[in-house]
Amino acid sequence: MTECRPEELLAATLAAQIPDVRHIAVGAASPIPAAAALLHQARSKERVHVTILHSRRYNSFTDGGRELFDAAAQGRIDVFFLGGVQIDGEANINLVGLGEYPNLTQRFPGSFGSPYMAFVVPNVILFREEHSPRTLVRKVDFVSAPGWSPEGVWRRGGPRALVTGLAVMTFDAPRRRFRLTSVHPGRTTEEVRNATGFDFDMPDRAPTTAVPDAVTLGLLRSEIAAKLREFYPDFAARVFPVPA
Amino acid sequence: MTECRPEELLAATLAAQIPDVRHIAVGAASPIPAAAALLHQARSKERVHVTILHSRRYNSFTDGGRELFDAAAQGRIDVFFLGGVQIDGEANINLVGLGEYPNLTQRFPGSFGSPYMAFVVPNVILFREEHSPRTLVRKVDFVSAPGWSPEGVWRRGGPRALVTGLAVMTFDAPRRRFRLTSVHPGRTTEEVRNATGFDFDMPDRAPTTAVPDAVTLGLLRSEIAAKLREFYPDFAARVFPVPA
Amino acid sequence: MSVFAPISLDDLVTQVPDGALLAVPADYSGAPMAATRALIRRGARNLRLVTVPQSTLQADLLIGAGCVTEVETAAVTLGEFGIAPCFTRAALAKTVRVIDATCPAIHAGLQAAEKDVPFLPLRGILGSDLVKHRPDWKTVDNPMAASGDPILLIPAIRPDVALFHAPMADREGNVWIGRRRELATIAHASRTTLVTVERIHDGSFFDDERLAAGALPAFYIQAIAIAERGAAPVGLFGEYEPDLDHLRAYAREARTEAGFRAYLAREVGTAKAAA
Amino acid sequence: MSVFAPISLDDLVTQVPDGALLAVPADYSGAPMAATRALIRRGARNLRLVTVPQSTLQADLLIGAGCVTEVETAAVTLGEFGIAPCFTRAALAKTVRVIDATCPAIHAGLQAAEKDVPFLPLRGILGSDLVKHRPDWKTVDNPMAASGDPILLIPAIRPDVALFHAPMADREGNVWIGRRRELATIAHASRTTLVTVERIHDGSFFDDERLAAGALPAFYIQAIAIAERGAAPVGLFGEYEPDLDHLRAYAREARTEAGFRAYLAREVGTAKAAA
């Protein structure tokens, strides 16, 4: 039973970063954050609204493509997830490319809504499975969304935490620094340090990331898996195979 | 047959002020302008779109109350009608009140969209049945919509003509002056001058406003009257009584 | 998607606090007349109205009943039945402060709030005396233009409460507004949105794309009450026409203060004494 | 309300002039794939795309086929199938100029055009490197604030042509867009709007308030062509799902220039020689 897949650990770990809120939104192509949001919703006593852009059932927007951004601006979206091809020690993310823009050596899709959502959503959770000096860099080549803003610049929110395949870090915006919060089971602090291209604070003894308990795994494998099948069929089939 | 009601004369006269256009819009509570727009449409060889806010059938807006104004801003509305409790010699209109604002001695409903439509619609036709020194004044007490703008102020359109129960005038925006174009049948230039509180240009001999011909009257009394019955039943019943 | 429970009309209007900035829809977009009467009965005070962009009977009743201190509006009128008598009296007596606006400025102010930006620019209007009397409107030089190009900035309008009537809500608490899209804008711009509906639709609007197209999602809405013929005597889009005889009679009766009091006693019921 | 006549797909795409600024909808709002293939066959050149706010196969095909000189976008990608190969190659080789944007800025730019104002303000974004590389975006001090409060102004985006696919048009030439309201905004903001539809609805959407709620009025639309499964292999809202096998195969095949050419020859047909 307690054999836990990496995706299950990450979904449960992301869910643990979500504070008590009313509305969690998940952008496109984000199956693990979607699982985390649905898990949070399933365990919450209060009514929690989950918007998953990728889904029809979990997307009740009717005012066009701008509504996600307008609703976020109105303060109606409390949690959003952002990834980054590069993420640096000041929580800047890069979704545009490597090299000196516009003379790129590698081109990524583009910034999407990140430079906006990172400002207007109170709790932004950064998520990148690959934890390596290639992804977690000292300084991103291109700032799609800045991790912090100087005083005097209107900003309601920003990155609060970073979850990777190795560890969990929290971001201290005033100090512009990450702090290691936990290391995933079977991984070491040393491994995290070596895999991270930026400097960060470390407690003397980093705890191990909590493994999802049986109830949580049960929820993920039944209720949540069933929901994910609607809009992430490939992911659901791979991570939550239906027993033959 | 050629017995022509005043409303019919006014509708035909307003229709004569409408240039070749694609889209005529008529605001609320404007049965005579509505008749004029429908008359123009019926006589046009080209497809002319008529929007009558008061109607369900002639209102295909689906983007809320702002759509009239946005569509006008986009240059998609070529003709609009405006009234005025007061209209002055520089084509300013007042829909707010008499007296020195905010210390009014008489209060009218308010400016509606006039300060906007007067700028963005190329051809604004002013219409006020009562032609008296009380309505056509030297200077309006409150400028709801200015008739002209100084150089350097963005402005696509504005008042082009004024139709009243006595006469037709055209407005020369660069000179900020009206010019008498025609006097309605049975009225005199002298009468117009005495009834007008502002100075205006007069030709040596002002022609008589053309009376609608039999074809036009036929259109008004059959096709147009039938359409008006949907959204101006009282007006249609009074002006175009259905023969017993 | 959980199921919501409608509340009573009286409970609904307790959620409009005295002093609130209250958005008032135009007649064509669901005038909440039953809720307005309940609001008057509960003795609401010091409301500040913003009409979107104009109002007829709803604003006139609230003003006449003494619930209002201030109204931002492009126009208050009874349309084909003439002047709005209570509005006109209150404006002249200055018992209500009238903040004169124009339709597109009210729409733009709400759209600014919808985006949580401090202002939206708008063409036209410059040279209108409205601008002189609106210190909150600012004329600036268009920062995108090379040379001088004055343009008006309209500040965001953020109602405390949006209150309107709609044909139906569904079991999830979504409200069907059809093509009255200004109701979505008002709800987006407002802190609290309260809705009365004719009926509850069994199911979810989102099960049918045709209905979904006219739905306002539940997460914008704080409370819903059922009020059959809740817009009467004003009409409701796609449902029923205005009661012209009623409105004509109101226009006549409310011409005097005493006539208005009689209308209020008969049609609205006893208002609580002013606090 | 006169009756309109649909035109052929080939005639429709002649109304997209070479060099036009062409609005490209996202996959969820009616990617006009049949029209895109026809546009490639007619040998369109020097198109400037603005994706609203991102694109997948449509932009990638147009770029790969050599129709495009410039693309303003928040992202071009094949979503779960990875990078958009032609976009990525062209961006790195600089055969297409990429104007990097962000979703809400593209929406705001279109809304500015919808109101015919030079700009819309937007919160956030400041400090993103996007701002450094967008000389057309201006940071100003919020004129409504007492003290310094920097805010970004996004200039209006006015496409020459909006082109999208929708489920149906009616006999009057109105188009049903359902809850894909960005299509209304794009049409409002654009000089010319061209639409392909699955089918013609017999009657008028305005005869039924439920359908009217999702209608784009005919007066915004210059021409309509019928194209059954006109969004395939991308999906169409409320109608059909994307063909995932096709998209997966494209992602693989187009990884090389030769593979892309083979796809183009097989799926699109012969393009006219470049002018």
Side-chain angles (χ1 to χ4, degrees):
Chain A
M1 175 64 199
T2 44
E3 183 65 37
C4 161
R5 288 170 184 273
E7 292 87 352
E8 292 171 332
L9 175 73
L10 290 173
T13 304
L14 280 174
Q17 305 306 313
I18 300 175
D20 280 338
V21 292
R22 298 156 307 150
H23 195 158
I24 306 165
V26 182
S30 309
I32 294 175
L38 292 170
L39 178 62
H40 179 88
Q41 184 188 48
R43 291 194 296 199
S44 174
K45 284 185 209 86
E46 303 296 316
R47 186 179 177 175
V48 177
H49 196 84
V50 171
T51 292
I52 296 173
L53 287 186
H54 211 85
S55 155
R56 262 200 65 213
R57 185 165 164 63
Y58 288 91
N59 182 341
S60 61
F61 288 138
T62 56
D63 203 31
R66 65 171 176 256
E67 189 172 3
L68 167 70
F69 305 102
D70 287 353
Q74 293 152 29
R76 295 185 203 272
I77 293 178
D78 306 295
V79 177
F80 195 71
F81 300 89
L82 286 174
V85 180
Q86 291 181 320
I87 299 172
D88 73 19
E90 299 193 339
N92 301 306
I93 67 170
N94 173 10
L95 293 161
V96 164
L98 301 187
E100 196 172 334
Y101 190 91
N103 304 312
L104 299 175
T105 55
Q106 240 188 298
R107 172 76 213 191
F108 312 133
S111 301
F112 290 96
S114 65
Y116 192 72
M117 297 303 267
F119 280 76
V120 298
V121 175
N123 305 287
V124 171
I125 300 172
L126 301 178
F127 174 59
R128 179 78 213 247
E129 264 187 277
E130 181 183 340
H131 189 143
S132 75
R134 196 181 79 103
T135 56
L136 302 189
V137 300
R138 204 188 53 75
K139 181 83 188 74
V140 293
D141 288 11
F142 185 95
V143 179
S144 283
W148 59 277
S149 295
E151 193 142 347
V153 172
W154 183 98
R155 186 161 189 161
R156 182 188 293 130
R160 296 287 174 254
L162 165 65
V163 174
T164 72
L166 282 190
V168 178
M169 297 187 182
T170 50
F171 184 63
D172 184 345
R175 292 184 55 237
R176 302 181 220 163
R177 261 181 94 83
F178 281 105
R179 176 181 181 83
L180 184 66
T181 311
S182 72
V183 176
H184 295 348
R187 308 302 199 142
T188 65
T189 310
E190 201 52 30
E191 217 178 329
V192 173
R193 194 200 289 278
N194 290 337
T196 308
F198 57 75
D199 227 34
F200 57 94
D201 291 342
M202 278 210 302
D204 286 341
R205 236 204 149 110
T208 300
T209 306
V211 177
D213 60 22
V215 174
T216 300
L217 281 176
L219 266 177
L220 278 171
R221 290 168 186 182
S222 55
E223 195 180 320
I224 311 300
K227 290 173 176 172
L228 290 171
R229 259 173 222 121
E230 181 228 324
F231 44 92
Y232 285 118
D234 289 6
F235 174 83
R238 181 166 57 78
V239 177
F240 306 109
V242 180
Chain B
M1 176 63 198
T2 44
E3 184 65 37
C4 162
R5 284 170 188 273
E7 292 86 353
E8 292 171 332
L9 176 73
L10 291 173
T13 304
L14 280 174
Q17 304 306 315
I18 301 175
D20 281 340
V21 294
R22 299 156 307 152
H23 194 158
I24 306 164
V26 182
S30 309
I32 294 176
L38 292 170
L39 179 61
H40 179 89
Q41 184 188 47
R43 292 195 296 198
S44 174
K45 284 187 207 83
E46 303 296 317
R47 185 179 177 174
V48 177
H49 196 84
V50 171
T51 292
I52 296 172
L53 286 186
H54 211 84
S55 155
R56 263 201 63 213
R57 184 161 166 66
Y58 288 90
N59 183 342
S60 61
F61 288 138
T62 55
D63 203 31
R66 66 173 176 254
E67 189 173 6
L68 168 69
F69 305 102
D70 287 354
Q74 293 152 29
R76 295 186 204 270
I77 292 177
D78 306 296
V79 177
F80 195 70
F81 301 88
L82 286 176
V85 180
Q86 291 181 319
I87 300 173
D88 73 20
E90 298 194 340
N92 301 306
I93 68 171
N94 173 11
L95 294 162
V96 163
L98 301 186
E100 197 172 334
Y101 190 91
N103 305 310
L104 299 175
T105 56
Q106 240 188 296
R107 172 76 213 191
F108 312 134
S111 301
F112 291 95
S114 65
Y116 192 72
M117 297 303 268
F119 280 77
V120 299
V121 175
N123 305 286
V124 171
I125 300 172
L126 302 179
F127 174 59
R128 180 76 214 248
E129 264 186 277
E130 181 184 341
H131 189 142
S132 74
R134 195 181 79 103
T135 56
L136 302 189
V137 299
R138 206 189 54 75
K139 181 81 187 75
V140 294
D141 288 11
F142 185 95
V143 178
S144 284
W148 59 277
S149 296
E151 194 142 345
V153 172
W154 183 98
R155 184 159 190 162
R156 183 189 291 130
R160 296 287 175 254
L162 165 65
V163 174
T164 72
L166 281 190
V168 178
M169 296 186 183
T170 50
F171 184 64
D172 184 344
R175 292 183 57 236
R176 304 183 221 161
R177 261 181 94 80
F178 280 105
R179 178 181 180 80
L180 182 66
T181 312
S182 71
V183 176
H184 294 348
R187 307 300 197 145
T188 65
T189 310
E190 202 49 33
E191 217 178 328
V192 173
R193 193 200 290 279
N194 290 336
T196 308
F198 57 75
D199 226 33
F200 57 94
D201 291 342
M202 276 211 300
D204 286 341
R205 239 202 145 111
T208 302
T209 307
V211 177
D213 60 21
V215 174
T216 301
L217 281 175
L219 266 175
L220 278 170
R221 290 170 184 179
S222 54
E223 194 179 319
I224 311 302
K227 290 173 177 171
L228 289 172
R229 258 173 224 119
E230 181 228 321
F231 44 92
Y232 286 118
D234 289 4
F235 174 82
R238 182 166 57 80
V239 178
F240 307 109
V242 181
Chain C
M1 308 284 150
S2 54
V3 168
F4 90 104
I7 63 174
S8 78
L9 195 54
D10 285 342
D11 284 348
L12 189 88
V13 297
T14 62
Q15 300 194 30
V16 183
D18 284 355
L21 181 64
L22 176 68
V24 172
D27 279 14
Y28 49 72
S29 58
M33 294 311 302
T36 297
R37 290 185 290 267
L39 201 51
I40 292 171
R41 282 194 299 273
R42 94 144 178 76
R45 285 294 174 271
N46 302 322
L47 297 178
R48 293 170 297 129
L49 308 183
V50 54
T51 68
V52 186
Q54 68 252 6
S55 179
T56 65
L57 186 62
Q58 189 191 355
D60 208 53
L61 280 186
L62 286 168
I63 290 169
C67 307
V68 177
T69 53
E70 192 175 288
V71 55
E72 175 168 6
T73 189
V76 181
T77 153
L78 296 182
E80 54 196 301
F81 305 114
I83 63 152
C86 298
F87 164 76
T88 307
R89 272 196 294 275
L92 288 174
K94 295 192 182 169
T95 52
V96 165
R97 181 172 167 242
V98 181
I99 304 171
D100 271 287
T102 174
C103 310
I106 291 178
H107 293 302
L110 292 167
Q111 285 184 282
E114 186 176 54
K115 288 202 147 12
D116 196 22
V117 290
F119 61 87
L120 236 59
L122 213 49
R123 285 301 190 183
I125 308 176
L126 298 175
S128 165
D129 281 346
L130 291 176
V131 180
K132 272 192 216 162
H133 297 279
R134 291 294 304 249
D136 56 329
W137 293 0
K138 284 223 159 38
T139 306
V140 300
D141 242 349
N142 169 13
M144 301 313 224
S147 60
D149 173 22
I151 190 165
L152 191 63
L153 306 183
I154 305 293
I157 299 172
R158 304 175 209 270
D160 296 307
V161 181
L163 171 63
F164 60 84
H165 185 68
M168 52 184 174
D170 70 11
R171 291 277 169 214
E172 294 171 355
N174 306 299
V175 168
W176 194 81
I177 57 170
R179 53 169 159 150
R180 298 308 346 165
R181 306 276 329 155
E182 61 278 340
L183 295 178
T185 311
I186 296 171
H188 298 169
S190 298
R191 287 178 182 86
T192 296
T193 292
L194 309 175
V195 184
T196 57
V197 295
E198 292 288 316
R199 59 185 174 278
I200 302 292
H201 168 84
D202 206 6
S204 166
F205 298 136
F206 290 95
D207 290 339
D208 177 350
E209 278 297 322
R210 293 182 182 207
L211 283 174
L216 176 67
F219 70 84
Y220 293 105
I221 300 160
Q222 275 63 44
I224 298 175
I226 297 170
E228 278 177 46
R229 290 193 62 80
V234 174
L236 180 61
F237 52 89
E239 299 278 325
Y240 43 85
E241 295 298 314
D243 181 344
L244 299 181
D245 290 336
H246 185 124
L247 296 171
R248 195 180 287 115
Y250 174 80
R252 208 168 33 231
E253 193 171 9
R255 251 181 238 156
T256 66
E257 183 65 33
F260 176 74
R261 290 290 143 203
Y263 175 93
L264 211 58
R266 188 179 69 244
E267 302 288 341
V268 177
T270 315
K272 282 180 194 155
Chain D
M1 307 285 147
S2 56
V3 168
F4 91 105
I7 62 174
S8 79
L9 194 55
D10 285 342
D11 284 348
L12 188 89
V13 298
T14 61
Q15 300 193 30
V16 184
D18 285 356
L21 181 64
L22 176 67
V24 172
D27 278 15
Y28 49 72
S29 58
M33 295 311 302
T36 297
R37 289 185 291 267
L39 201 52
I40 292 171
R41 283 193 298 272
R42 93 145 179 77
R45 284 294 174 274
N46 302 322
L47 296 179
R48 294 169 298 130
L49 307 184
V50 54
T51 68
V52 185
Q54 68 252 7
S55 180
T56 65
L57 185 63
Q58 188 191 358
D60 207 54
L61 280 185
L62 285 168
I63 291 169
C67 306
V68 177
T69 53
E70 192 175 287
V71 55
E72 173 168 6
T73 189
V76 181
T77 152
L78 296 182
E80 53 194 301
F81 304 114
I83 63 151
C86 298
F87 164 76
T88 307
R89 273 196 293 275
L92 288 174
K94 293 191 184 170
T95 53
V96 164
R97 183 173 164 239
V98 181
I99 305 172
D100 271 287
T102 173
C103 309
I106 290 178
H107 293 302
L110 292 168
Q111 285 184 283
E114 186 175 54
K115 288 202 147 11
D116 197 24
V117 290
F119 61 86
L120 237 59
L122 215 48
R123 285 298 189 187
I125 308 175
L126 298 174
S128 164
D129 282 345
L130 291 176
V131 181
K132 270 192 216 164
H133 297 279
R134 291 294 304 250
D136 56 330
W137 292 0
K138 286 223 159 35
T139 306
V140 300
D141 242 348
N142 170 13
M144 301 313 223
S147 60
D149 173 22
I151 189 166
L152 191 62
L153 306 183
I154 306 294
I157 299 173
R158 302 175 208 271
D160 296 308
V161 181
L163 171 63
F164 60 84
H165 186 67
M168 51 187 172
D170 70 10
R171 292 277 169 212
E172 295 171 355
N174 306 300
V175 168
W176 194 81
I177 58 170
R179 55 169 158 150
R180 297 309 344 166
R181 305 278 330 157
E182 61 278 341
L183 295 178
T185 311
I186 296 171
H188 298 169
S190 298
R191 287 179 182 86
T192 296
T193 293
L194 309 175
V195 183
T196 57
V197 295
E198 292 289 315
R199 60 187 174 275
I200 303 292
H201 168 83
D202 208 5
S204 166
F205 298 137
F206 289 96
D207 290 339
D208 177 351
E209 278 297 320
R210 294 183 181 206
L211 283 174
L216 176 67
F219 70 83
Y220 293 106
I221 300 160
Q222 275 62 48
I224 299 175
I226 297 170
E228 278 176 46
R229 290 192 62 81
V234 174
L236 180 61
F237 53 88
E239 300 276 326
Y240 42 85
E241 294 298 313
D243 180 345
L244 299 181
D245 289 338
H246 185 124
L247 296 171
R248 194 179 287 114
Y250 174 80
R252 205 165 37 230
E253 194 170 9
R255 251 182 237 154
T256 66
E257 182 66 32
F260 176 75
R261 290 290 143 202
Y263 175 92
L264 211 57
R266 188 179 69 243
E267 301 288 340
V268 177
T270 316
K272 283 181 190 152

